[in-house]
Amino acid sequence: MSDANTGGSEAGSDHDHDHHTGPGYASPQAAIEEGEREQLAYVMSLYTGSDVDAPDFVSVVDLDPDSETYCEIVDRIEMPNRGDELHHFGWNACSSSCHMDGLERRHLIVPGQRSSRIHVIDTKDRRNPELVEVIEPEEVFEYDLSAPHTVHCVPDGQILISMLGDADGDLPGGFLELNDDFEIEGRWEPPGEIEMNYDYWYQPRQNVMVSTEWAAPKTYYPGFDLDDVEEGKYGRRLHFWDWENGTVEQTIDLGEEGLIPLEVRFLHTPESTHGFVGAALSSNMFHFWYDEGAGEYRAEKAIDFEARDHPDWEMPVPGLTTDILISMDDRYLFGSNWLHGELWMYDISDPANPRRADSLSVGGTFGEVQGVQGRELAAGPQMLQLSLDGERLYWTTSLFSTWDEQFYPEEGERGSVMLKADVDPRNGTLELDEDFLVDWGDCPAGPARAHEIRWPDGDCTSDVWQ
């Protein structure tokens, strides 16, 4: 485990796991040692914004190399309505509920970004999950919220969802809380704590949550417009919350170099207050941590990806850092520069001084590899997921339907792909696995987009530890 531990003012360091009866693993190290190789993946799949008149669905992908259906979509859980724009999803329970006797990591909470409809999928039969419940948009709008995004379970069995807009798709956003029967409990925070919202992560032992900013749904739904950035319609701030009280304790403005901070991660070790956030438009990585001496959080730019010239662009092309994740041992930070077509890996053993370990140039605007098994790639690496042992990195290629259409219109025509790299954690290297390809261009109703990835037994972007 990383020794990157600054402690924190509210740290509850006496948490033990003598009576671990709930879901998940007692610690990140236990996940590495006890977790089995991923056999299946659940992948958000969608037709929203394409010419195919069909509902979005969740794909079940076979990842067992000894299986006859390896690299195939073996089941599709179709949504009951069209146009949801499935985006991010999460589990009803994870390792943070380690002391909740009787609670299972069994139900996927699957929101629709555009519809604000929230679906519940039962994965008791892992290869053949079924949709068991739907929360309709009108029930969500009653709390003056819309556009659900990040789903995390809460240690006592509840579920918290970041919401990016109000009932009309304007600002402010907030957080919606569900109980363990998948009923809406209400708003988690007092309204008005934040203006913009996007991703969030929490460290219960430190009594802290951090959230990021995208924009109002009405701003980003139609596509990206640089004028919206110049008019200040996109976010650039981090918010640090009192986890118990649901109130913002500190806000850090990342400035022009921190435009559109999207995915945010604390290190997995529950004692740590270190974390990273990717500023998508500025294409920078910020390191944040709790400064004991100052009694507050600080954030500094730690990695800078330079924009590159391209003859078809009137301005230098930013990397557009759209996703990041941290390996379960807290040693490596992985990320994707969607526009550049770059997948990168940094050693963060010293989180204040990340060291570039390796990268792959694949897909996107500049990628050296533009096809796998004869399948031409239409977009760059986007959503990432890493095996618990840190040896296999998977990714898909769709960002958001209207943004796909704007930057990579062929993504909708050909469909997305899921690719894989073999990771050598000892030497810090990546190698593209050219035998691995899952193709959403072959779906029965027509080419589909593929977005976020989850493992049935937990993964590097959904588990939190106490």
Side-chain angles (χ1 to χ4, degrees), residues 243-415:
W243 172 243
E244 293 293 335
N245 295 328
T247 53
V248 173
E249 298 295 300
Q250 184 186 352
T251 293
I252 297 178
D253 189 331
L254 300 176
E256 293 295 319
E257 294 195 301
L259 287 169
I260 314 185
L262 294 182
E263 310 302 330
V264 64
R265 320 288 184 209
F266 272 112
L267 297 191
H268 295 290
T269 182
E271 294 89 355
S272 180
T273 62
H274 289 263
F276 290 88
V277 60
L281 185 59
S282 301
S283 302
N284 294 319
M285 294 300 307
F286 279 78
H287 165 228
F288 59 83
W289 74 100
Y290 186 76
D291 184 331
E292 288 274 11
E296 61 181 12
Y297 274 86
R298 297 194 182 281
E300 289 185 353
K301 187 178 72 172
I303 303 171
D304 186 358
F305 296 103
E306 295 286 338
R308 300 175 63 178
D309 292 327
H310 190 282
D312 295 336
W313 280 62
E314 295 180 356
M315 57 179 279
V317 183
L320 208 70
T321 309
T322 49
D323 195 20
I324 62 170
L325 65 76
I326 295 174
S327 61
M328 199 58 79
D329 63 1
D330 286 338
R331 181 176 176 188
Y332 291 110
L333 176 70
F334 296 87
S336 56
N337 290 350
W338 187 61
L339 285 182
H340 281 187
E342 183 185 31
L343 197 70
W344 48 261
M345 173 181 183
Y346 275 74
D347 186 329
I348 54 169
S349 301
D350 177 0
N353 297 286
R355 180 182 63 81
R356 190 179 182 96
D358 203 359
S359 64
L360 285 177
S361 180
V362 53
T365 308
F366 299 97
E368 295 171 0
V369 176
Q370 287 290 341
V372 174
Q373 298 179 27
R375 168 56 153 98
E376 195 171 343
L377 307 178
Q382 218 284 99
M383 296 307 295
L384 311 176
Q385 193 51 264
L386 183 68
S387 59
L388 294 176
D389 62 10
E391 296 183 0
R392 293 167 299 283
L393 181 69
Y394 302 80
W395 67 92
T396 56
T397 51
S398 171
L399 174 59
F400 194 73
S401 62
T402 43
W403 294 43
D404 286 351
E405 288 297 302
Q406 191 171 357
F407 295 104
Y408 295 117
E410 293 180 349
E411 179 79 352
E413 300 168 5
R414 296 180 190 161

Side-chain angles (χ1 to χ4, degrees), residues 25 91 105 201 268 326 328 385-388 453-465:
Y25 304 93
W91 290 102
R105 189 205 305 267
W201 195 283
H268 295 290
I326 295 174
M328 199 58 79
Q385 193 51 264
L386 183 68
S387 59
L388 294 176
I453 307 165
R454 294 251 171 262
W455 313 140
D457 291 315
D459 48 58
C460 295
T461 57
S462 63
D463 270 84
V464 172
W465 275 269

Side-chain angles (χ1 to χ4, degrees), residues 146-224:
S146 68
H149 191 270
T150 299
V151 178
H152 276 300
C153 72
V154 175
D156 60 4
Q158 294 173 309
I159 299 149
L160 191 63
I161 307 174
S162 63
M163 309 291 292
L164 276 53
D166 66 11
D168 296 321
D170 293 313
L171 298 176
F175 291 87
L176 189 71
E177 188 171 12
L178 309 183
N179 63 26
D180 56 5
D181 289 324
F182 313 119
E183 300 165 333
I184 296 178
E185 283 277 288
R187 292 187 73 127
W188 173 75
E189 89 294 5
E193 287 292 301
I194 53 172
E195 184 82 355
M196 297 182 192
N197 204 3
Y198 182 73
D199 192 28
Y200 77 98
W201 195 283
Y202 65 96
Q203 284 285 51
R205 194 175 297 193
Q206 305 295 343
N207 191 37
V208 65
M209 182 178 90
V210 58
S211 67
T212 60
E213 297 185 332
W214 192 4
K218 283 183 176 176
T219 299
Y220 65 79
Y221 276 173
F224 177 73

